[in-house]
């Protein structure tokens, strides 16, 4: 309901701006026809018209941007609320069951395992929000160290297998020759993990993700995360790295998220002097995310 209301607001302000411009043009044309002999007044009228039109256009653009930003904030709050509420409710349910019923030992261990997984999911969401805040504030200095890239990717893949409960063969790793990059281990780990998590979440039931590590040239190494998911329209390939942005459509409605993962990846790449980009042939044809980081010389 809120989104629909804001879309109506956007349409209203656009219509208002167009209407004001039309009325101004009509009044100006009528005024020119009545005062065509006065050249100075004509020149002043042209300037006045330009100023009025510019003001209306800029005001409309500002309002539309603010409304869209508020929509993104609302979507983010709703997503974070869901990501926090779901694991908390699950943990509470299992704790109440353990407290009120007699549960045999195998079942008890299964409950403990599920609660630990939900706790990890909860912690992951909190860390994601906090990390996005730290990156946005640009207050944290990087602790730059040589990082074994293949070892870091292996660590992130093992974490993803546990977190998403997928078999080993669903997440494949094609390593390079021994390769070290310069970076902050915590931030590089977060960037690679976010790319892998994103690929797994959007793959659906049939997860088939491959992570390749290669040397692109003498200065940079790349981590390439390849999935066979729903793909991305070419018009969305740059927008997906914006804060809170999620590609509209049924897939985004099915896959829950905060809209921060790819923003964090882009911020990490930028802070390390690298970059990140996405490649896709279009909807239904999978996606490839490429993270570029400087090599430790």
């Amino acid at each position: 309901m809120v989104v629909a209301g804001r879309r109506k607001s956007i349409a209203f302000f656009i219509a208002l701006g167009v209407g004001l411009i039309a009325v101004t043009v009509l009044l100006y044309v009528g005024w020119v026809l009545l005062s065509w002999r006065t050249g100075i007044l004509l020149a002043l009228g042209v300037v006045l018209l330009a100023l009025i039109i510019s003001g209306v256009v800029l005001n409309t653009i500002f309002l539309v941007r603010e409304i869209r930003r508020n929509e993104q904030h609302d979507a983010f709050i709703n997503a974070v609320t869901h990501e926090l509420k779901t694991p908390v409710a699950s943990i509470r349910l299992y704790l109440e069951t353990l407290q009120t019923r007699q549960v045999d030992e195998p079942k008890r261990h299964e409950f403990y395992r599920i609660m630990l997984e939900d706790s990890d999911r909860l912690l992951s969401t909190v860390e994601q929000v906090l990390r996005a805040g730290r990156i946005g504030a640009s207050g944290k200095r990087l602790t730059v160290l040589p990082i074994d890239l293949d070892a870091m990717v292996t660590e992130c893949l093992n974490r993803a297998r546990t977190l998403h409960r997928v078999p080993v063969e669903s997440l494949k790793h094609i390593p390079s020759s021994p390769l070290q990059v310069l970076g902050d281990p915590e931030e590089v780990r977060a960037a690679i993990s976010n790319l892998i998590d994103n690929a797994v979440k959007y793959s659906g039931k049939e997860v088939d993700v491959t992570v390749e590590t290669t040397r692109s040239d003498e200065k940079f190494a790349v981590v390439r995360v390849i999935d066979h998911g729903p793909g991305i329209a070419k018009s969305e390939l740059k927008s997906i790295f914006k804060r809170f942005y999620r590609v509209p459509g049924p897939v985004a409605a099915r896959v829950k998220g905060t809209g921060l993962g790819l923003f964090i990846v882009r911020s990490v790449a930028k802070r390390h002097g690298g970059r990140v980009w996405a490649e896709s042939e279009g909807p239904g044809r999978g996606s490839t995310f490429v993270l570029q980081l400087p090599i430790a010389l």
Side-chain angles (χ1 to χ4, degrees):
M1 294 297 291
V2 175
V3 174
R6 285 191 172 141
R7 286 177 179 171
K8 290 181 181 178
S9 298
I10 292 175
F12 169 77
F13 282 114
I14 292 175
L16 178 62
V18 172
L20 288 174
I21 291 174
V23 170
T24 303
V25 170
L26 289 175
L27 292 175
Y28 174 71
V29 170
W31 177 77
V32 169
L33 292 176
L34 294 175
S35 308
W36 60 273
R37 295 179 180 178
T38 311
I40 296 177
L41 292 178
L42 179 61
L44 292 175
V46 171
V47 174
L48 176 62
L49 176 63
L51 290 174
I52 292 174
I53 292 177
S54 299
V56 172
V57 170
L58 291 174
N59 181 64
T60 303
I61 292 173
F62 172 77
L63 290 173
V64 170
R65 285 182 176 176
E66 284 300 307
I67 291 171
R68 287 179 175 171
R69 187 176 291 113
N70 288 335
E71 285 183 356
Q72 291 177 343
H73 287 177
D74 286 347
F76 165 72
I77 291 172
N78 290 334
V80 170
T81 301
H82 179 272
E83 290 294 310
L84 295 176
K85 185 177 180 180
T86 301
V88 169
S90 173
I91 293 171
R92 180 181 178 84
L93 176 63
Y94 285 113
L95 286 175
E96 288 178 346
T97 303
L98 291 170
Q99 187 178 33
T100 58
R101 299 181 184 179
Q102 291 293 330
V103 181
D104 58 39
E105 196 64 21
K107 203 70 174 176
R108 184 184 296 272
H109 283 291
E110 182 183 353
F111 285 1
Y112 290 152
R113 177 184 60 79
I114 295 173
M115 286 190 290
L116 281 173
E117 290 176 355
D118 285 334
S119 298
D120 289 340
R121 176 181 171 184
L122 187 62
L123 182 61
S124 176
T125 301
V126 173
E127 287 179 346
Q128 194 90 315
V129 175
L130 293 176
R131 182 174 288 110
R134 289 195 299 267
I135 289 175
S138 300
K140 182 187 175 185
R141 298 183 62 182
L142 294 176
T143 304
V144 179
L145 299 170
I147 301 170
D148 186 326
L149 188 58
D150 287 323
M152 180 68 76
V153 169
T154 299
E155 178 186 338
C156 294
L157 286 170
N158 290 334
R159 171 194 168 276
R161 291 186 184 104
T162 302
L163 180 63
H164 299 285
R165 285 179 278 180
V166 296
V168 174
E169 61 272 13
S170 295
L171 298 177
K172 296 180 285 292
H173 180 201
I174 301 177
S176 65
S177 56
L179 189 60
Q180 286 190 327
V181 296
L182 278 177
D184 185 304
E186 180 184 348
E187 292 206 356
V188 172
R189 183 182 296 107
I192 297 173
S193 291
N194 273 311
L195 288 179
I196 296 172
D197 289 345
N198 187 73
V200 173
K201 286 193 298 183
Y202 282 92
S203 291
K205 295 181 179 179
E206 299 296 329
V207 178
D208 183 10
V209 176
T210 302
V211 182
E212 299 177 354
T213 51
T214 58
R215 179 191 293 263
S216 62
D217 53 40
E218 294 183 356
K219 294 184 178 180
F220 293 99
V222 296
V223 179
R224 186 173 282 105
V225 181
I226 306 165
D227 67 62
H228 297 85
I232 306 169
K234 292 188 181 296
S235 59
E236 302 284 350
L237 289 176
K238 292 184 178 179
S239 299
I240 56 176
F241 293 99
K242 295 179 181 178
R243 190 199 298 258
F244 304 140
Y245 187 84
R246 303 192 72 210
V247 177
V251 177
R254 173 178 58 83
V255 180
K256 301 300 180 182
T258 60
L260 291 176
L262 294 180
F263 165 76
I264 290 174
V265 176
R266 186 188 67 174
S267 300
V268 170
K270 186 177 180 180
R271 280 160 60 86
H272 284 74
R275 64 191 185 103
V276 63
W277 66 91
E279 301 170 351
S280 179
E281 294 299 320
R285 306 186 67 176
S287 308
T288 299
F289 287 84
V290 185
L291 173 63
Q292 185 184 69
L293 295 169
I295 292 176
L297 301 176

